[in-house]
Amino acid sequence: LKDILQVMLKPDRKTSSPVLREIALAARKPPAAAREPLAMLLAARLQSGDRWYLESLGALARGIEASLWDRVAKLYGAGGLTDPQVLDLAFRLHPPKAAAFLATKAMDKALDPASRRRAVDGLAFIDARDAAESMVNLALAGPDDIRALARWWVEHKDRYGWKRFRIGRELGATSLEGGELKWNSGVMKSGLKEVDVDVSGIEALWLVVTDGGDGYGCDWAAWIDPRLEGPAGTLHLSKQPWNNAIQGWGQTRVGRNAGGGPIKIDGKEYGTGVGTHANSRIGWLISNKGYKRFKATVGPDDGGTSQGGDRTSIEFQVWAKTRVDTSWIAGLKRTVLDGQQAMDDRVKAARRLAADPKGGHVILDLAARDQLDGKLKAAVAEDLFKNPDLTVRAFASARFPRTNLKGVALPPIAELAKMTGDGRRGRDVFFGTASQCSKCHTYGARGGNTGPDLTAVSEKYGKEQLLDHILNPSAAIALGYDAWIVTTKEDDLYSGFILADGEYVIIKDADGRRHVIPADQIDSRRKESSSTMPDNIALGLEARQLADLVAFLSAGGAKPKPQQAVSLFNGKDLAGWTHHLSKANVARAAVWSVLPDGILDCKGNPAGYIRTEKDYTNFILELDWRFPERSGNSGVLLRMVGKDKVWPKSIEAQLMSGNAGDIWNIDKFEMEVDEDRTSGRHTRKIHPTNERPLGQWNHYKITLFGGDLTLEVNGKIQNVGRWCEELSGKICLQSEGTRIQFRNIRLTPLER
């Protein structure tokens, strides 16, 4: 590599792209530190659009993508790389730090459509929340020609890759929740039907096709010119990007049928429409209130009827979700502002507004505009601090007299920090209804994603700092979490974080809902000085609850403290173990025995297990196992509780040949695993099997600390679990149909 670099660094050196590609491929083996300078030189010489060169560079950069991107970004900032070059590099390297660059390029209407689509695709390959969040923004408010692609990626990655971020629900109109069936066609096998439905006041519309009860093998369907009509004009939905679409086969397409051919019904071709395949659902969010009727023509597409008309039977349905009537809020607002009204009536109206989630924001807006007199402000304070909307409570702290909900005086922060909290109780506080922390914040992949992830917050802050942030959240608002109040020309009011600000403004509220508002419909916007996180005064937590909460948050950075290791198997007998077999009349010795060389031998029949007499909670368990005769099945059960049975409540670390490292959840043991690798109770291992050949010894290292589980097979991490129920339980070795042997069973207790 040194010789290659010396040649390439010569200023007059010109090397063709094919030669550079070969250099990149030939230099893939050396350590990362040696490869990075060469990779950077090759990156600087990239000709945009040279896919073979880019792929070779990607192979050279494997494992150093993040550090190479840092150098690329620095050179780009200094003018040393062009936009097309950096876009190609971001697409191929896709490190997490490239998410902001790719999202910006995807939004840039000055770029050609192909480059913007490339930016969207590159963003999809970044396994990070920032990328997922940006993709949702693009799907909701990106340029028209990339919204459909971004939506497709959100829907796909919500099932594969980004599932843990739970972003699909933020598209809106992703299910029929809150919807009402407005029209149905009845079962159709051919022909056309006209649709004309009253949709006054809707905020979401779904076009649904179901099979007629005999399966959906030939159920192709078409919506011809679906449109909304009213005082606002005509909105042709086939030209309006949908927010969500699912189908039973093929794709939902504009102007084409589910298979990509022309839309045809009874031999007649239609150019304007949406083709799909039962069972299907297409959803739109409707921001404009000025539409009254939904109209369309529907019928089974010839793509299905041509395969056999008798097998085609579908039903078209129109579903809609109507906006909640908030006209009463405007009426109460007028009463509050009317100085000619009796003060008692004005107070009554103000208090009713203050107690309602939407009305509370109206009161806050009036207070910010100095339109509430002192008596009204004093009257509504208590209702605001009890408001169901956490954002209302938080903003109220800045402008209204504060009273502790429970009337309990808190000690100074220094004294609170000295209190010994219980992390388990603190978990209940975090995920409970009193604090509602998890409504906005994620901890260990659980909770909401409105506020910052608090999993590792203890690595940044000590106890006193954590308490200060809880009690005084507005003192230091995290970058990107500034709160805004946005009002529209139709007098709608939204509060939360602004995620996108352009032709459309996206604001995310405290419940994690995204609201897309056309910029030209905004009447005013105001940045709040308060955090959207309610302080402790608004939450009403007691000192003990605060101590417990801080203990829980601090545990995120707690390192396990290994204690003296103990041997669970002495190599001589089964002292410290008992057993359970599915056949009560079979003696333990007929299944389990200790061989002369200190090996624990299990015949495999009947089914059952041996288990420790003692309970264990947090530990590292290490053992060797092998199948001496043929491939088979067994497992290690962890934190086993309850009655002996086949099989008891526990976590199984799988030992089946070829599947060691899989997790089985037995009897609904509380835990969370990677949903992308999980089917029912079974979570597949991360990597292909790394077990040794039949007859050779394998090594299991199982770490269970608090809620975290790690399974290592022969030195490689094959699986992880989170939020495992923290119980003291037995450790079991299974007899499951095949002869298996164990040795060197050692346990290292872990303390916090």
Side-chain angles (χ1 to χ4, degrees):
L1 280 181
K2 289 182 179 179
D3 294 339
I4 294 173
L5 285 170
Q6 286 179 354
V7 172
M8 292 185 66
L9 283 171
K10 292 181 179 180
D12 59 343
R13 181 70 184 180
K14 294 184 179 179
T15 308
S16 67
S17 291
V19 173
L20 292 176
R21 291 201 305 263
E22 293 303 316
I23 290 173
L25 292 173
R28 291 175 295 167
K29 300 294 185 181
R35 285 185 280 123
E36 192 169 318
L38 176 61
M40 191 60 211
L41 282 172
L42 292 174
R45 298 188 184 190
L46 171 67
Q47 296 295 315
S48 179
D50 189 336
R51 294 178 61 185
W52 291 109
Y53 186 106
L54 184 62
E55 187 57 36
S56 300
L57 178 58
L60 175 64
R62 186 168 297 162
I64 58 171
E65 292 89 350
S67 57
L68 180 59
W69 174 257
D70 288 341
R71 298 178 71 162
V72 165
K74 186 175 181 180
L75 186 60
Y76 174 60
L81 287 171
T82 65
D83 270 8
Q85 283 178 308
V86 179
L87 182 56
D88 278 355
L89 290 167
F91 171 83
R92 180 56 183 84
L93 300 176
H94 49 264
K97 287 185 179 179
F101 172 83
L102 288 168
T104 300
K105 293 303 176 185
M107 277 283 193
D108 188 355
K109 290 187 176 180
L111 280 182
D112 61 280
S115 294
R116 282 190 276 111
R117 287 195 296 271
R118 190 164 177 79
V120 173
D121 289 339
L123 194 64
F125 286 96
I126 297 178
D127 186 24
R129 182 181 290 279
D130 287 350
E133 295 273 354
S134 296
M135 192 69 82
V136 176
N137 290 339
L138 291 169
L140 292 175
D144 290 344
D145 58 349
I146 62 143
R147 282 196 208 173
L149 176 61
R151 279 194 309 276
W152 184 88
W153 274 121
V154 171
E155 293 165 5
H156 177 76
K157 298 285 284 187
D158 196 42
R159 298 190 298 272
Y160 311 105
W162 289 344
K163 196 168 187 176
R164 65 191 185 280
F165 301 142
R166 301 181 180 96
I167 56 168
R169 61 187 178 185
E170 296 192 29
L171 283 179
T174 56
S175 72
L176 297 177
E177 183 179 356
E180 176 186 357
L181 179 62
K182 295 287 188 178
W183 178 88
N184 71 84
S185 65
V187 175
M188 297 180 65
K189 300 182 76 66
S190 62
L192 296 166
K193 283 193 177 181
E194 298 297 323
V195 188
D196 187 351
V197 184
D198 182 359
V199 290
S200 302
I202 66 166
E203 64 179 21
L205 177 75
W206 296 273
L207 304 183
V208 176
V209 182
T210 65
D211 73 80
D214 57 355
Y216 59 93
C218 299
D219 291 350
W220 300 47
W223 297 87
I224 308 301
D225 192 20
R227 60 199 182 275
L228 294 171
E229 297 180 353
T234 299
L235 181 70
H236 294 278
L237 294 176
S238 57
K239 299 179 181 180
Q240 179 76 11
W242 53 71
N243 290 80
N244 180 259
I246 60 172
Q247 58 283 319
W249 180 86
Q251 293 184 31
T252 298
R253 306 171 190 264
V254 174
R256 313 294 288 177
N257 65 23
I263 294 176
K264 287 185 178 180
I265 300 176
D266 293 338
K268 182 178 179 180
E269 187 170 324
Y270 296 86
T272 302
V274 179
T276 187
H277 191 292
N279 291 303
S280 74
R281 182 186 69 238
I282 316 168
W284 286 267
L285 293 176
I286 311 300
S287 58
N288 196 317
K289 299 177 182 178
Y291 300 112
K292 302 296 184 183
R293 313 294 303 181
F294 169 75
K295 296 181 180 180
T297 304
V298 300
D301 186 271
D302 288 359
T305 57
S306 63
Q307 299 178 36
D310 291 342
R311 292 186 293 166
T312 297
S313 60
I314 55 180
E315 178 175 285
F316 293 85
Q317 300 175 353
V318 177
W319 290 71
K321 181 180 180 181
T322 305
R323 286 183 174 84
V324 176
D325 182 12
T326 57
S327 58
W328 63 273
I329 291 179
L332 291 178
K333 179 180 176 181
R334 287 193 294 270
T335 299
V336 170
L337 294 175
D338 187 355
Q340 302 302 313
Q341 295 270 3
M343 180 56 72
D344 286 350
D345 292 336
R346 295 175 67 195
V347 167
K348 188 181 296 183
R351 291 196 62 185
R352 186 180 172 196
L353 287 172
D356 179 80
K358 290 185 177 293
H361 284 286
V362 171
I363 290 293
L364 293 171
D365 188 54
L366 293 177
R369 299 170 186 268
D370 291 325
Q371 293 179 318
L372 287 182
D373 62 31
K375 187 169 183 178
L376 288 172
K377 286 187 70 172
V380 299
E382 182 179 353
D383 297 290
L384 288 172
F385 288 116
K386 292 180 180 178
N387 193 288
D389 189 323
L390 293 177
T391 307
V392 171
R393 297 192 217 172
F395 290 168
S397 296
R399 294 190 174 93
F400 290 83
R402 300 186 297 178
T403 57
N404 188 293
L405 291 182
K406 297 183 180 180
V408 179
L410 294 173
I413 286 177
E415 291 185 24
L416 283 171
K418 293 177 182 178
M419 295 178 62
T420 301
D422 185 317
R424 295 187 190 184
R425 290 200 306 260
R427 179 179 63 181
D428 294 337
V429 173
F430 186 88
F431 292 106
T433 57
S435 71
Q436 299 190 54
C437 299
S438 61
K439 189 174 183 180
C440 295
H441 297 284
T442 295
Y443 188 96
R446 289 178 67 183
N449 58 3
T450 306
D453 188 328
L454 300 182
T455 305
V457 69
S458 63
E459 296 178 7
K460 187 176 181 180
Y461 301 116
K463 281 188 175 183
E464 290 197 14
Q465 290 173 302
L466 283 173
L467 284 163
D468 185 49
H469 280 286
I470 294 169
L471 293 169
N472 305 296
S474 297
I477 299 173
L479 182 64
Y481 291 95
D482 298 305
W484 291 80
I485 301 290
V486 175
T487 57
T488 70
K489 293 176 181 178
E490 294 186 343
D491 209 27
D492 291 325
L493 187 150
Y494 304 92
S495 68
F497 313 127
I498 291 180
L499 303 181
D501 195 353
E503 183 180 354
Y504 295 92
V505 173
I506 300 179
I507 189 165
K508 188 173 185 178
D509 65 23
D511 290 325
R513 293 188 299 262
R514 296 179 193 231
H515 304 276
V516 182
I517 311 166
D520 59 8
Q521 295 300 309
I522 292 177
D523 180 57
S524 68
R525 62 173 77 185
R526 181 179 67 256
K527 185 178 178 180
E528 287 289 309
S529 60
S530 301
S531 166
T532 56
M533 172 182 166
D535 61 21
N536 178 258
I537 299 294
L539 293 174
L541 296 181
E542 299 173 1
R544 178 187 59 77
Q545 292 174 301
L546 282 167
D548 292 342
L549 177 59
V550 169
F552 169 70
L553 294 174
S554 299
K559 304 299 181 184
K561 299 175 183 177
Q563 305 302 300
Q564 183 65 42
V566 296
S567 178
L568 296 185
F569 171 56
N570 60 23
K572 300 176 183 179
D573 55 37
L574 286 171
W577 296 80
T578 186
H579 75 287
H580 175 76
L581 296 172
S582 58
K583 295 182 179 179
N585 60 341
V586 177
R588 182 177 72 181
V591 182
W592 297 90
S593 61
V594 181
L595 302 181
D597 53 0
I599 293 174
L600 176 59
D601 187 81
C602 173
K603 298 295 189 298
N605 283 299
Y609 49 84
I610 57 171
R611 62 168 173 79
T612 57
E613 294 175 345
K614 292 183 178 180
D615 290 340
Y616 301 94
T617 307
N618 299 310
F619 53 81
I620 299 172
L621 175 66
E622 298 191 66
L623 57 84
D624 299 331
W625 90 92
R626 70 178 179 185
F627 292 99
E629 299 168 346
R630 60 186 176 87
S631 299
N633 194 9
S634 182
V636 183
L637 306 186
L638 312 166
R639 290 184 180 170
M640 173 261 172
V641 293
K643 294 181 179 180
D644 285 316
K645 62 179 182 177
V646 176
W647 303 105
K649 181 176 179 178
S650 59
I651 303 168
E652 178 183 351
Q654 178 66 275
L655 287 178
M656 176 186 283
S657 297
N659 296 284
D662 288 7
I663 294 173
W664 281 86
N665 185 307
I666 302 178
D667 216 6
K668 299 180 181 179
F669 198 101
E670 182 183 329
M671 64 184 303
E672 291 188 5
V673 287
D674 186 343
E675 294 179 353
D676 292 336
R677 293 182 287 108
T678 299
S679 176
R681 300 184 298 111
H682 177 213
T683 302
R684 301 185 310 278
K685 58 187 178 299
I686 299 169
H687 307 289
T689 182
N690 63 327
E691 297 166 39
R692 297 176 180 132
L694 184 67
Q696 293 187 21
W697 288 101
N698 296 280
H699 185 72
Y700 228 149
K701 182 179 180 181
I702 301 169
T703 303
L704 192 47
F705 180 66
D708 295 335
L709 169 69
T710 303
L711 303 184
E712 295 180 51
V713 177
N714 294 324
K716 177 179 283 189
I717 294 177
Q718 283 285 19
N719 227 326
V720 294
R722 295 290 179 261
W723 298 103
C724 301
E725 195 171 355
E726 197 165 346
L727 303 171
S728 287
K730 317 294 184 185
I731 294 171
C732 312
L733 304 177
Q734 287 181 303
S735 168
E736 204 170 357
T738 314
R739 188 181 178 202
I740 186 171
Q741 295 176 339
F742 300 91
R743 69 179 186 184
N744 300 330
I745 307 172
R746 295 179 62 79
L747 182 139
T748 303
L750 299 175
E751 292 187 359
R752 296 183 185 279

